[in-house]
Amino acid sequence: MIEIEKAKNLIADLPPSEAILLLQSLNENGIIASDCYRQIYEDMTRKEILATHRAKIAQHADGRWRTYVVTAEGKKRQLVRTTLKKLEDDIVQNYKEVHGTPDKSPTFKACYYHWRELHDLKVTDNTKSKYDSDFVRYFEGESFSERPIADITGEDVEKFVFKKIMELSLCREATKSLLDYIKGTFRSAKNNRVIREDVTADIKRSEFFCKCVETPHNPDAVLVSDRDWKALYKRLEMDFQDNPVYMPPYAILMAAFTGMRVSELAALQWNDIKQDPITGRFYFLISRSEKYNVQTKEYHIGEVKNKRPRIYPVTPQINDLLTKIKSVRQQNQINDQWIFSNGDGRNIHKRNISDCLKNRCKQIGITPKGIHAFRRQINSDMRCDGVSSVITSSLIGNTQAVNQKHYTYDVIGLEEKERIVEQTNRKRLAAGGC
C-alpha cells in the first residue's frame, strides 16, 4: 500500500471529481488503506466547502474569529470561535447540515434558500414574508423539496406544478408565482454549478393555464355601483354629522373623488396641495405613501408604489371636501401636517380607512369593498366616457397595461348601450341604402 502523502501527490493536479474517482479506485483495489482514503476525502471536502464560503472571516479585537452562515431555514447566524480552525470546523459542519456533502447533490429546498440569499437583497421585507408563507404553502412537507436537485427532471417539475394546481385550486397568478420560485431556484443552482442543466428553462407558464381555476370577479365587490354609492354616501354624511372629527369617512370620500390608493390617502399632507404658477389652478402632488412592515409591525412613510410622483387636479368637489376638513380641524384645534389626522400629530393609518369602508358597507347591507374599488370605478367611468388610457393611467398612477387588465370594466348602463347599438344599426341601414 502507498502512503498518504504519495496518494495526495497522485491527485494533486486533478479536478475534484476525477480525484475522488481515482481515490475510490485505489481504495477498492487495496492500493491505499480505507483510513487513508477517508482522511484524504475529508480534507478535500473541507477545502472545497471553505472555498465556497462567501461570508467574511475575520479576527476581531477580542481575539475571537467570526463569520456568518445561513441555516437550513434560510436564517443568518453568526459563528464566534476562539481559533480559526474551530471556526472552519463549524463552517464545514453547517454546510453539511444545510447542503449535504459536496459529492451529494443538495436538495431543492437547500438550493431554494441559497437562491433567496441573493434574491432577498432585491425585495422589501413584506415581499420576503410573502416568499416565506408561499414556501410553506407550496413546498413545505413535499417530497419534491427534499429531493436532490440534480435528480429532478423537467417532467418531475411539470407533474409537481400540476399537482399543486389541482390540490390548491390555483389561479393563473398563483401558478406563475409557483413556477417563478422553481425556475429561480434551478437557475441559481446552475449558476452555482450545482447542476449542469436547468431543466426548467424550456417550461412555459402557459402550459399549465388549462388547469388553473379562474374565479370571475363579482362586480359588486370590485366596483362601486351608482346604487351602492348612493347608500354609502348617505352613511358617510351621517358620520360627518355624528362624529365630525373622525377622519376615515373623509378619506373614503376623497378616494371616491380621486381614486388614490389607501396608502397614499394615509400619507397625504397639506403641503402636497400645490398651485400652478401659470394657470393658478390647484392640484395634489402625490409623492408619498404609508408602508407597513409585516416583520417589524411598524408603519413608515415612503415613496408611492411605482416610485413616480403624479399630479391630480383639485376639482370643486374636492375643494369643498378640503374646506370641510379644515373647518373641523379649526373647531377642534387640530394643527398638524396631515390632511387625515388623528388629532395627536399622527396620520390615520391606511388600515383604519380600509376597515371603516368595509364596516360601513356591512352596516348599509352592500357587498364589502376595498378602497381599490374606487380606483377601478373612477378609471372605468373615465374610459367609458372616452378618456384615453394615457390620461387615466397618469391620473390613477398605473401603467396602461395594468390599467387595461385590472382596472377597466364595462360600466355603461343598458339605456346608453341601447342608444349606441341603435345608432350603429342606423348607420348600417343607411350604408345599405335602406
Side-chain angles (χ1 to χ4, degrees):
M1 290 189 180
I2 62 175
E3 297 177 354
I4 188 170
E5 292 302 322
K6 289 185 178 180
K8 288 182 178 180
N9 290 335
L10 286 174
I11 63 172
D13 298 324
L14 295 177
S17 58
E18 294 182 19
I20 290 173
L21 289 175
L22 178 57
L23 283 172
Q24 289 175 340
S25 177
L26 294 174
N27 181 45
E28 291 169 359
N29 289 285
I31 300 175
I32 59 172
S34 295
D35 290 343
C36 178
Y37 165 75
R38 282 194 295 271
Q39 184 177 339
I40 297 175
Y41 180 79
E42 285 297 324
D43 290 343
M44 290 176 59
T45 300
R46 180 186 181 87
K47 191 176 297 183
E48 188 176 348
I49 291 173
L50 293 174
T52 62
H53 184 67
R54 296 181 179 179
K56 182 180 179 181
I57 298 175
Q59 187 177 26
H60 288 225
D62 61 359
R64 296 188 176 190
W65 292 82
R66 288 173 170 82
T67 191
Y68 284 90
V69 294
V70 178
T71 66
E73 291 73 31
K75 308 292 184 181
K76 276 191 175 182
R77 181 165 68 95
Q78 187 182 41
L79 297 179
V80 182
R81 295 295 179 265
T82 55
T83 66
L84 178 59
K85 183 181 181 304
K86 289 181 179 179
L87 186 70
E88 290 178 341
D89 289 343
D90 282 1
I91 293 172
V92 172
Q93 181 60 32
N94 179 82
Y95 187 99
K96 289 180 178 180
E97 291 174 358
V98 175
H99 300 284
T101 53
D103 64 321
K104 179 184 176 183
S105 170
T107 64
F108 173 87
K109 181 178 181 179
C111 291
Y112 166 84
Y113 280 116
H114 187 84
W115 166 65
R116 285 281 304 275
E117 286 181 48
L118 174 61
H119 194 71
D120 282 4
L121 299 176
K122 308 172 187 177
V123 299
T124 65
D125 286 346
N126 288 355
T127 302
K128 295 174 192 175
S129 294
K130 179 183 181 299
Y131 289 168
D132 290 340
S133 61
D134 280 352
F135 182 86
V136 174
R137 183 187 186 198
Y138 298 136
F139 303 110
E140 195 67 67
E142 292 285 348
S143 59
F144 178 88
S145 63
E146 301 298 337
R147 289 180 58 183
I149 194 168
D151 295 343
I152 300 175
T153 67
E155 287 190 356
D156 292 332
V157 171
E158 293 184 64
K159 289 177 182 177
F160 177 74
V161 174
F162 276 122
K163 172 177 174 286
K164 300 309 292 186
I165 291 174
M166 302 301 287
E167 282 182 357
L168 303 174
S169 299
L170 300 182
C171 65
R172 290 191 178 193
E173 292 302 317
T175 301
K176 289 177 183 178
S177 296
L178 169 58
L179 198 56
D180 285 346
Y181 294 138
I182 296 174
K183 279 178 165 286
T185 300
F186 272 87
R187 186 166 55 249
S188 171
K190 183 182 178 183
N191 291 341
N192 287 282
R193 299 178 182 176
V194 174
I195 54 176
R196 294 182 179 181
E197 178 188 8
D198 178 1
V199 298
T200 69
D202 295 327
I203 296 178
K204 304 290 191 299
R205 292 171 170 176
S206 57
E207 297 175 18
F208 305 97
F209 290 166
C210 61
K211 293 295 183 181
C212 290
V213 176
E214 294 300 329
T215 304
H217 286 300
N218 178 4
D220 284 342
V222 299
L223 295 171
V224 185
S225 67
D226 290 344
R227 174 177 53 82
D228 286 354
W229 172 241
K230 184 177 181 179
L232 182 58
Y233 184 71
K234 285 183 178 180
R235 184 63 184 82
L236 294 178
E237 283 191 317
M238 289 175 57
D239 280 315
F240 300 151
Q241 295 174 7
D242 298 341
N243 190 7
V245 78
Y246 182 54
M247 283 293 140
Y250 298 94
I252 293 171
L253 189 53
M254 184 68 78
F257 288 154
T258 64
M260 287 190 199
R261 297 178 177 91
V262 66
S263 58
E264 295 166 349
L265 293 165
L268 210 56
Q269 298 181 1
W270 290 105
N271 62 13
D272 292 328
I273 303 173
K274 312 290 184 182
Q275 185 175 23
D276 185 89
I278 298 175
T279 65
R281 296 181 180 278
F282 289 92
Y283 63 90
F284 286 114
L285 178 62
I286 305 171
S287 60
R288 291 183 299 273
S289 66
E290 185 183 66
K291 315 287 185 182
Y292 178 72
N293 190 313
V294 297
Q295 293 185 353
T296 64
K297 312 297 183 186
E298 295 176 340
Y299 288 95
H300 69 279
I301 303 298
E303 297 177 297
V304 289
K305 186 175 182 180
N306 59 5
K307 300 184 179 180
R308 294 180 181 179
R310 67 187 190 278
I311 63 173
Y312 200 97
V314 174
T315 65
Q317 298 81 6
I318 296 173
N319 187 60
D320 288 345
L321 175 59
L322 291 171
T323 300
K324 183 181 294 187
I325 294 171
K326 287 179 181 177
S327 175
V328 170
R329 287 167 59 88
Q330 289 174 356
Q331 292 173 16
N332 292 273
Q333 298 181 345
I334 300 173
N335 185 25
D336 54 38
Q337 75 268 37
W338 308 105
I339 291 181
F340 304 112
S341 168
N342 276 323
D344 57 0
R346 296 179 300 163
N347 64 307
I348 60 171
H349 294 312
K350 58 182 182 178
R351 179 69 179 271
N352 300 131
I353 302 172
S354 297
D355 287 349
C356 178
L357 175 57
K358 290 177 181 177
N359 289 335
R360 296 301 178 268
C361 289
K362 292 177 182 177
Q363 290 167 1
I364 60 178
I366 65 175
T367 304
K369 310 173 193 300
I371 292 295
H372 251 61
F374 291 114
R375 289 174 58 74
R376 299 185 191 97
Q377 186 68 48
I378 200 168
N379 176 75
S380 299
D381 285 341
M382 289 190 290
R383 292 290 288 130
C384 288
D385 284 342
V387 181
S388 76
S389 62
V390 175
I391 295 174
T392 57
S393 300
S394 174
L395 288 170
I396 296 297
N398 290 328
T399 64
Q400 291 186 57
V402 168
N403 246 30
Q404 181 61 35
K405 185 174 182 181
H406 299 292
Y407 290 81
T408 303
Y409 292 79
D410 176 10
V411 294
I412 296 179
L414 183 58
E415 183 178 350
E416 179 65 12
K417 288 180 179 177
E418 182 180 338
R419 185 192 66 78
I420 293 171
V421 173
E422 182 183 357
Q423 185 177 359
T424 301
N425 290 343
R426 281 182 185 154
K427 289 181 179 179
R428 175 59 55 196
L429 289 172
C434 302

